[in-house]
Protein backbone atom coordinates (compact mmCIF):
# COMPACT_ATOMS: atom_id res chain seq x y z
CA UNK A 1 0.00 0.00 0.00
CA UNK A 2 2.92 2.31 0.76
CA UNK A 3 4.30 1.94 -2.80
CA UNK A 4 0.95 2.95 -4.32
CA UNK A 5 0.73 6.02 -2.09
CA UNK A 6 4.30 7.03 -2.95
CA UNK A 7 3.56 6.53 -6.64
CA UNK A 8 0.60 8.93 -6.55
CA UNK A 9 2.60 11.46 -4.55
CA UNK A 10 5.26 11.32 -7.25
CA UNK A 11 2.61 11.80 -9.91
CA UNK A 12 1.28 14.86 -8.08
CA UNK A 13 4.82 16.31 -7.79
CA UNK A 14 5.46 15.84 -11.51
CA UNK A 15 2.07 17.32 -12.47
CA UNK A 16 3.02 20.55 -10.64
CA UNK A 17 6.10 20.79 -12.89
CA UNK A 18 4.09 20.60 -16.11
CA UNK A 19 3.97 23.75 -18.21
CA UNK A 20 0.30 23.96 -19.18
CA UNK A 21 -0.63 25.94 -22.32
CA UNK A 22 -2.34 29.30 -21.98
CA UNK A 23 -5.88 29.77 -23.29
CA UNK A 24 -4.68 31.49 -26.48
CA UNK A 25 -2.19 28.70 -27.25
CA UNK A 26 -4.77 26.02 -26.52
CA UNK A 27 -7.29 27.69 -28.83
CA UNK A 28 -4.71 27.98 -31.61
CA UNK A 29 -3.67 24.33 -31.26
CA UNK A 30 -7.29 23.20 -31.23
CA UNK A 31 -8.04 25.13 -34.43
CA UNK A 32 -4.96 23.63 -36.10
CA UNK A 33 -5.94 20.09 -35.13
CA UNK A 34 -9.58 20.46 -36.17
CA UNK A 35 -8.72 22.07 -39.51
CA UNK A 36 -6.15 19.35 -40.20
CA UNK A 37 -8.73 16.66 -39.45
CA UNK A 38 -11.30 18.31 -41.75
CA UNK A 39 -8.78 18.71 -44.58
CA UNK A 40 -7.62 15.09 -44.27
CA UNK A 41 -11.22 13.84 -44.15
CA UNK A 42 -12.07 15.77 -47.31
CA UNK A 43 -8.91 14.52 -49.02
CA UNK A 44 -9.66 10.89 -48.23
CA UNK A 45 -13.30 11.30 -49.22
CA UNK A 46 -12.23 12.63 -52.63
CA UNK A 47 -9.67 9.83 -53.06
CA UNK A 48 -12.25 7.24 -52.04
CA UNK A 49 -14.77 8.67 -54.49
CA UNK A 50 -12.17 8.67 -57.28
CA UNK A 51 -11.12 5.08 -56.64
CA UNK A 52 -14.76 3.99 -56.46
CA UNK A 53 -15.47 5.64 -59.82
CA UNK A 54 -12.41 4.02 -61.40
CA UNK A 55 -13.45 0.60 -60.16
CA UNK A 56 -17.00 1.20 -61.37
CA UNK A 57 -15.66 2.12 -64.85
CA UNK A 58 -13.43 -0.96 -64.99
CA UNK A 59 -16.19 -3.34 -63.86
CA UNK A 60 -18.75 -2.03 -66.36
Amino acid sequence: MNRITEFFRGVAREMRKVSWPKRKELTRYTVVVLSTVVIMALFFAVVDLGISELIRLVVE
Side-chain angles (χ1 to χ4, degrees):
M1 189 65 169
N2 189 26
R3 291 179 66 191
I4 294 173
T5 304
E6 190 57 37
F7 170 76
F8 283 112
R9 284 185 182 151
V11 170
R13 276 192 304 268
E14 291 299 319
M15 290 299 287
R16 280 188 228 108
K17 296 178 186 178
V18 173
S19 172
W20 297 101
K22 305 293 182 221
R23 180 181 283 281
K24 188 175 181 179
E25 290 174 319
L26 187 61
T27 303
R28 184 179 308 134
Y29 297 154
T30 303
V31 168
V32 168
V33 168
L34 291 177
S35 58
T36 302
V37 168
V38 168
I39 290 169
M40 294 304 291
L42 291 172
F43 171 76
F44 285 117
V46 169
V47 169
D48 181 54
L49 184 64
I51 291 172
S52 297
E53 288 299 320
L54 282 174
I55 291 174
R56 198 170 287 128
L57 285 172
V58 170
V59 170
E60 288 179 355

